Amino acid sequence: MLIDQAAEFDVRDYLRKEMMPHFLCPGCGHGIALRALLWALHDLGIDKDRLAVVSGIGCAGRLSAYIDANTFHVTHGRPLAYATGLALARPDLHVVVITGDGDCLAIGGNHLIHACRRNLKLTCLMLNNEVYGMTGGQVSPTTPEMLLTTTTPHGNTEPHFDACALAAAAGAGFVGREVTLNVPKLKELIRAGLMHPGFAFLEVMSDCTEIFGRKNDLGSSPEMMMRQKSELRPTAYRDTVDMPFRPNHLPTGILAKNDRPEYGASYRAAAAKEARR
Amino acid sequence: MSDPGSTELAAAIPVPLPGAGGAEPVNVLVVGVGGQGVIMVSKLIALLAQQQGYEVKQSEVHGMAKRGGAVFSHVRFGKLVWSPTIPKGEADFLVALEWAEGLRWLDYLRPGTGVFICDTKQIVPPFSCRDRRPGAALGYVRETVSDVIARVGEGYAIDATHMAEQLGNDRVGNVVLLGALSAALNFPAAQWEKIVADFVPKKTTAVNLEALRQGRRWIEEARKGLQHPASVPPPPSPTVADYRVRLEITPQWCKSCDICVKMCPERCLRLNAERIVELAAPDKCTGCRLCEWLCPDFAIRVHLDRTMAGAGMEAAR
């Protein structure tokens, strides 16, 4: 009578239990995003031995240490570079990159645009908490204007990046965004990204309660998550003509999708041609 | 009205025909759920009546259309129409695209002579779920087809959605019902087909015309007694919840972030003296798993344990 697909998935099967509890602050949305990623992997039936998780430096980068799979914790900003090499050498692996907003857009911005351009089969999960959390709350490329951080004590004056627009413009095959509050929808988005035969860039809006939230008086983690909900604008409502009550909108859902040729396949074809000569 | 069958009634009671009576306008009430095409059907009726030289007034409520809410449209036409709305008990035709919506508007039908044409499709609205616990009783209508048809002058229950699915496009269910109505309103069949062909998107003209013809044929056969009213499946009966909810909490992993306590729709969790989450009201918990999904520390796991009653029901099924 009750169809409860969620009952089959126990996140603890995918965690390194000796590492738990994890180091994230109370109420950090990264844990929810990690669950959604593991749930999507479980849904697709991806074997843990066939999964490689590459992550950089930062709160988000730390997550790979808790996943019971092949994990690779690499230098700051370079997880996409390492993952590119890994995916080219081992096309049989599912390569997932977990990165943060600073790791991906500031230090690794260069690697991001070129990974998008190449369209290699990779899944890049960018957890956007709008701040450098691990190093003490410095301003990041996604910190909204006017908000306070330790390096912008009078409010951020720089315009912030729209990471999804950047990835789509650079040519990523699949671009999507979701908030942590909608866990099943986030899981479905990650699942769609994992199934995409090219570069999938997924932005997860996460909440940094302890540092960013406290500095800007955004309330506790439930309040920060509900704020995301009030700002989001799912695909279904994005194209409506009447948008009277949503001045600050955050588009969510699948934002771009195309069938550009996958780089790994064309690279291998070129290499085989070269070998025959 | 003891006889539930529609066929004898159809023969006994004259259908009000446009222009035949004279001064009084003909009233058509189209009701349904947002997205089914209520407005489209009423527009077609209004346009056709206008082309036939009648004065037409139409008014509608469609604000909830996007959210699956109730939509209705009044169409009145005649030599002279003063008011755009149909008074209660004066609708000559009630075309309902959804079963419960049809019953909601049944009082508007003219007693004795009103014609009731209803799809048997059931769209259960969220508010008929009075209890969020799984297996709870639904507040959806419980009347059967014969109950309803006995209450009206002339009633037809068509499984129009199924017919539309058979045609390959489930969105033409409204046109099947329009076809059924066309058999009762005495405009020429060719005029109906022309207006449908003019109005619908070009790619769907063929399937819409076929839907119109099938609906019309269905009513004609029903009047001859060849067709029987489609049966409405009984609404889900109240059953006992066949499992018990159990929360497995890992206290060492809980960081007292309060997300589960604040986000629980039933407010059944709380933080204890050590600021570790605990289930304060086990009888309120519906097992929706929101706390499990939103816990960033993986400290909560929801188990739905099958009870003996549930196991027995499963075996019986």
Side-chain angles (χ1 to χ4, degrees):
Chain A
M1 171 180 171
L2 181 85
I3 303 161
D4 191 15
Q5 290 153 330
E8 296 165 15
F9 169 66
D10 188 346
V11 70
R12 291 172 296 183
D13 297 344
Y14 289 82
L15 294 176
R16 289 179 181 150
K17 288 195 221 27
E18 67 279 9
M19 301 282 287
M20 293 294 291
H22 55 56
F23 89 119
L24 298 170
C25 306
C28 177
H30 285 15
I32 304 171
L34 176 60
R35 165 189 293 278
L37 171 67
L38 295 176
W39 192 1
L41 291 165
H42 172 89
D43 256 24
L44 289 171
I46 292 173
D47 184 11
K48 285 192 273 191
D49 293 335
R50 289 261 158 261
L51 171 67
V53 183
V54 185
S55 67
I57 300 297
C59 300
R62 189 77 185 140
L63 290 183
S64 65
Y66 303 107
I67 303 173
D68 185 20
N70 306 298
T71 58
F72 200 16
H73 193 183
V74 303
T75 52
H76 203 356
R78 273 75 180 158
L80 282 167
Y82 281 87
T84 300
L86 181 59
L88 278 176
R90 291 288 301 273
D92 57 318
L93 291 181
H94 282 271
V95 184
V96 177
V97 173
I98 304 180
T99 174
D101 49 323
D103 194 46
C104 186
L105 295 175
I107 298 97
N110 189 22
H111 294 291
L112 172 69
I113 54 172
H114 292 292
C116 293
R117 174 174 64 85
R118 287 188 200 105
N119 201 33
L120 179 64
K121 179 162 171 35
L122 277 179
T123 307
C124 175
L125 193 68
M126 189 188 96
L127 309 184
N128 181 2
N129 59 1
E130 305 176 329
V131 77
Y132 282 84
M134 191 185 245
T135 48
Q138 290 84 358
V139 65
S140 99
T142 54
T143 308
E145 284 176 77
M146 302 308 292
L147 289 188
L148 308 177
T149 65
T150 49
T151 45
T152 56
H154 306 296
N156 180 22
T157 47
E158 296 176 7
H160 68 278
F161 252 142
D162 182 342
C164 287
L166 174 72
F174 184 100
V175 180
R177 183 193 280 128
E178 196 53 76
V179 298
T180 50
L181 185 72
N182 291 338
V183 182
K185 277 179 90 175
L186 175 58
K187 185 259 293 185
E188 285 304 319
L189 180 74
I190 296 175
R191 192 186 140 108
L194 284 166
M195 289 198 298
H196 182 75
F199 186 78
F201 180 81
L202 309 167
E203 180 182 8
V204 184
M205 299 306 292
S206 181
D207 61 294
C208 178
T209 312
E210 288 291 315
I211 292 169
F212 190 65
R214 182 169 295 172
K215 189 98 183 166
N216 290 291
D217 204 13
L218 297 175
S220 60
S221 41
E223 284 157 344
M224 285 187 76
M225 288 167 76
M226 292 310 280
R227 187 174 64 96
Q228 289 178 347
K229 187 188 175 186
S230 69
E231 287 180 359
L232 66 85
R233 196 167 182 82
T235 326
Y237 301 112
R238 205 178 303 141
D239 302 329
T240 50
V241 183
D242 52 334
M243 38 192 295
F245 305 119
R246 293 282 169 84
N248 46 350
H249 59 276
L250 177 70
T252 59
I254 297 171
L255 302 174
K257 196 172 180 184
N258 63 52
D259 297 326
R260 286 177 56 219
E262 199 263 331
Y263 174 61
S266 46
Y267 176 80
R268 281 187 292 280
K273 204 171 154 190
E274 195 66 24
R276 274 201 302 276
R277 205 151 53 158
Chain B
M1 303 286 169
S2 58
D3 189 352
S6 57
T7 49
E8 291 86 348
L9 289 169
I13 294 163
V15 179
L17 302 175
E24 286 296 306
V26 175
N27 301 324
V28 184
L29 182 57
V30 189
V31 300
V33 173
Q36 284 193 299
V38 171
I39 307 296
M40 186 253 188
V41 165
S42 64
K43 260 187 190 163
L44 282 176
I45 299 166
L47 270 176
L48 186 58
Q50 206 168 24
Q51 285 179 5
Q52 300 291 314
Y54 292 103
E55 185 174 321
V56 183
K57 280 199 167 64
Q58 188 240 351
S59 68
E60 66 199 32
V61 164
H62 63 263
M64 292 296 112
K66 264 188 191 165
R67 287 158 199 255
V71 177
F72 64 85
S73 178
H74 296 243
V75 185
R76 310 188 77 191
F77 59 93
K79 279 180 185 149
L80 202 56
V81 186
W82 292 105
S83 164
T85 52
I86 301 171
K88 206 169 191 174
E90 290 189 20
D92 298 309
F93 300 92
L94 173 57
V95 180
L97 277 65
E98 200 267 346
W99 183 242
E101 288 302 318
L103 301 199
R104 191 201 300 282
W105 291 94
L106 214 52
D107 290 346
Y108 274 71
L109 208 55
R110 200 184 287 278
T113 58
V115 180
F116 178 58
I117 299 172
C118 190
D119 193 349
T120 56
K121 184 180 177 65
Q122 297 185 336
I123 299 173
V124 181
F127 291 114
S128 72
C129 307
R130 288 171 184 158
D131 187 340
R132 278 181 284 194
R133 228 156 300 177
L138 281 182
Y140 195 79
V141 286
R142 309 213 159 270
E143 280 94 336
T144 61
V145 170
S146 44
D147 289 348
V148 174
I149 287 178
R151 279 167 61 188
V152 298
E154 184 182 344
Y156 303 101
I158 313 175
D159 199 354
T161 308
H162 180 68
M163 286 162 76
E165 278 166 8
Q166 295 288 311
L167 286 172
N169 187 344
D170 58 355
R171 284 186 289 179
V172 300
N174 58 347
V175 181
V176 173
L177 290 171
L178 188 70
L181 176 72
S182 75
L185 280 173
N186 73 342
F187 296 133
Q191 292 291 323
W192 283 104
E193 295 197 3
K194 185 173 176 298
I195 200 128
V196 168
D198 286 350
F199 198 82
V200 299
K202 288 287 162 281
K203 281 182 196 163
T204 62
T205 308
V207 68
N208 274 298
L209 286 180
E210 185 52 35
L212 187 78
R213 285 180 203 125
Q214 281 204 8
R216 196 181 174 93
R217 205 177 309 132
W218 195 95
I219 291 286
E220 280 163 358
E221 284 174 10
R223 284 186 164 167
K224 286 179 206 141
L226 297 174
Q227 285 275 11
H228 296 288
S231 63
V232 178
S237 59
T239 49
V240 287
D242 62 344
Y243 60 84
R244 196 168 287 130
V245 184
R246 177 167 59 89
L247 251 62
E248 183 188 349
I249 294 167
T250 316
Q252 301 86 347
W253 293 7
C254 176
K255 288 180 186 152
S256 350
C257 69
D258 223 22
I259 288 181
C260 53
V261 177
K262 293 263 174 67
M263 293 293 190
C264 174
E266 309 297 330
R267 294 277 187 273
C268 59
L269 294 165
R270 69 168 173 229
L271 296 183
N272 65 14
E274 287 96 50
R275 299 201 39 87
I276 300 295
V277 64
E278 67 177 13
L279 183 58
D283 53 321
K284 275 185 170 177
C285 179
T286 63
C288 71
R289 291 188 189 277
L290 212 56
C291 54
E292 181 184 333
W293 290 338
L294 290 178
C295 179
D297 301 298
F298 316 119
I300 305 180
R301 169 83 176 136
V302 177
H303 292 280
L304 306 181
D305 293 334
R306 205 158 274 275
T307 58
M308 288 312 287
M313 276 170 56
E314 201 72 13
R317 205 171 294 123

